[in-house]
Amino acid sequence: MHGDSPRTRTIEAVPSSPTVPAVPHHPPFWHTLKQDVFFWLLLSVCAVLTFAAPQRLPEYPGLVDWHTIAALAGLLILTKAVESSGMLQLLGVRLVDAVSSERVLALSLVGASAALSTLLTNDVALFVIVPLTVGLRKVAQLPVTRLVIFEALAVNAGSALTPIGNPQNLFLWHQSGLSFGAFVWQMVPLVVLLTVLLLLATWLAFPAHEIHLHAKTGEVELHKRLLLPALALYVPFLVLTDFGYPLAALAGLVVLYLAGARYVLARVDWGLLLVFVLMFIDLRLVAQLGAVRQALDALALDNPLHLYWTGIGVSQIISNVPAAILLAEYSHDWPMIAFAVSAGGFGTLVGSLANLIALRMAGDRRAWLLFHAYSVPFLAVASVVIYAWLTWLR
């Protein structure tokens, strides 16, 4: 605490209570989907594609990466359990106590997001950082939505460093035959450029204003009976997922929480899973269109710089993971494809699936427009800087 300084407020952490935490009313997820413009856009695209080729309807389940859906569902459950325990709000209190301004807070969260994404993957890093950030709304007057947007940009930048940082890197690493260290070494310059640009953008986007704390936030009650099992289950769930058993791991989680904490399952954003299912179907159908393939054939992708700009452009339409898979059919220049789709994660919302995860978790309908106000200019600057670097290397 800070004595009689303007930052003083009343917050108390209390021991775990044996009682079940109060559960506010949460409308069913389909009520939220009614107002989800992105969901209806994806559903409309799916309807148009189905009308154009109804014979492909039986193929739709095969277009969905069910392992990714299962992994995402499990992470949603565990993160919601940690969030419901009160731990993230308590950490938010401690974090705000430790920093001096919005700018320092933003730089800390962006740096942590980028660092975590190198080893935990971009989506797992978001599941750790974003709920913590959203919880800061209860602690102080902060631009939480803007912070979440920059965290999404940060995990796109940081995850480009390692083969396990994101799905497209994992795919390209296996295709390239490079060692883990060799892959990291080739990505270092790109990640350094992106990180420097991101930290500069963060510095400019967040003022050095003192953080204004709420006069009284009430007690932060820590429910260890929710927190400890969730933390204990994180590593086994990730290990099982990494070994290719996410469906079994998810089934185990659902059974455990049905038996011991059903209200956690009720709070999960199940609508996000429906959005991801539609994204897989829509984006993969678009990627397989004859017109798309003909357009790529005409782009002379044997030229590395053509491949670079194409990777960025295609990522804006079908996301960077499908873009990497698609471009691998036309070129074996794995480093250039990796550079292109890493940069392509910025820009539009669908550039990276991490963007969608972050904005859904932010819980702010205005976030979609604000995201593009920062992400599109960042892509414009970053892509030109990377292009200048690639040209210099030649």
Side-chain angles (χ1 to χ4, degrees):
M1 302 298 289
H2 301 274
D4 296 326
S5 72
R7 294 167 60 83
T8 302
R9 75 276 190 235
T10 302
I11 296 182
E12 179 183 357
V14 300
S16 172
S17 168
T19 61
V20 173
V23 183
H25 173 69
H26 285 263
F29 69 89
W30 54 84
H31 285 190
T32 304
L33 284 178
K34 288 181 180 178
Q35 301 177 349
D36 191 329
V37 176
F38 189 62
F39 167 77
W40 289 107
L41 175 62
L42 290 172
L43 190 61
S44 299
V45 171
C46 185
V48 171
L49 293 172
T50 302
F51 180 79
Q55 72 278 7
R56 299 203 60 183
L57 189 59
E59 302 175 23
Y60 286 8
L63 298 175
V64 179
D65 187 337
W66 293 109
H67 280 203
T68 296
I69 298 297
L72 178 58
L75 290 169
L76 284 171
I77 294 171
L78 293 173
T79 303
K80 187 56 66 175
V82 173
E83 181 183 338
S84 300
S85 75
M87 185 60 186
L88 295 177
Q89 187 181 350
L90 186 59
L91 286 176
V93 171
R94 301 292 182 257
L95 177 61
V96 170
D97 267 339
V99 301
S100 58
S101 69
E102 285 186 15
R103 178 175 290 162
V104 174
L105 176 65
L107 289 170
S108 300
L109 290 172
V110 166
S113 300
L116 285 173
S117 67
T118 63
L119 295 177
L120 295 183
T121 74
N122 51 5
D123 53 354
V124 175
L126 288 174
F127 279 110
V128 173
I129 296 292
V130 173
L132 169 62
T133 305
V134 172
L136 293 177
R137 287 195 178 110
K138 300 178 181 179
V139 177
Q141 298 175 22
L142 291 166
V144 169
T145 299
R146 197 189 322 156
L147 285 169
V148 171
I149 288 169
F150 274 79
E151 288 162 3
L153 301 180
V155 300
N156 285 326
S159 66
L161 180 63
T162 65
I164 59 174
N166 53 52
Q168 65 269 22
N169 274 14
L170 186 61
F171 167 75
L172 293 171
W173 177 45
H174 287 158
Q175 294 292 317
S176 68
L178 294 173
S179 67
F180 189 99
F183 187 95
V184 170
W185 182 250
Q186 78 173 8
M187 299 301 291
V188 165
L190 174 78
V191 174
V192 168
L193 287 174
L194 290 174
T195 303
V196 169
L197 290 173
L198 180 60
L199 292 176
L200 177 60
T202 305
W203 181 278
L204 295 174
F206 293 89
H209 296 162
E210 182 180 4
I211 297 174
H212 299 289
L213 301 167
H214 298 318
K216 181 178 178 65
T217 61
E219 294 181 347
V220 178
E221 188 174 1
L222 181 61
H223 295 274
K224 293 182 180 179
R225 63 185 299 273
L226 278 179
L227 175 65
L228 297 181
L231 294 179
L233 289 168
Y234 256 108
V235 172
F237 179 80
L238 292 176
V239 169
L240 284 172
T241 298
D242 187 53
F243 276 94
Y245 302 103
L247 292 171
L250 172 62
L253 282 182
V254 171
V255 169
L256 287 174
Y257 280 96
L258 280 175
R262 294 183 182 179
Y263 49 87
V264 171
L265 298 178
R267 297 180 180 185
V268 171
D269 182 10
W270 299 110
L272 178 60
L273 300 181
L274 291 179
V275 170
F276 264 77
V277 168
L278 284 173
M279 282 191 70
F280 276 118
I281 294 172
D282 288 357
L283 297 179
R284 287 180 169 174
L285 286 175
V286 170
Q288 294 171 10
L289 291 175
V292 173
R293 293 190 172 275
Q294 289 176 9
L296 291 174
D297 285 333
L299 291 176
L301 297 183
D302 54 328
N303 184 315
L305 296 181
H306 288 188
L307 181 62
Y308 169 72
W309 289 114
T310 300
I312 292 176
V314 173
S315 296
Q316 304 310 297
I317 302 172
I318 66 170
S319 189
N320 54 7
V321 177
I325 296 171
L326 180 63
L327 292 176
E329 299 292 324
Y330 294 85
S331 173
H332 292 165
D333 190 344
W334 313 120
M336 190 59 70
I337 296 176
F339 297 154
V341 298
S342 294
F346 305 101
T348 65
L349 175 66
V350 299
S352 169
L353 297 183
N355 299 337
L356 177 63
I357 292 174
L359 297 194
R360 290 278 300 196
M361 294 176 73
D364 184 351
R365 293 181 64 186
R366 300 170 302 171
W368 311 100
L369 290 176
L370 189 60
F371 173 82
H372 291 96
Y374 287 107
S375 186
V376 172
F378 186 84
L379 172 63
V381 174
S383 60
V384 171
V385 170
I386 296 169
Y387 176 78
W389 166 62
L390 293 173
T391 304
W392 177 74
L393 286 180
R394 297 186 71 194

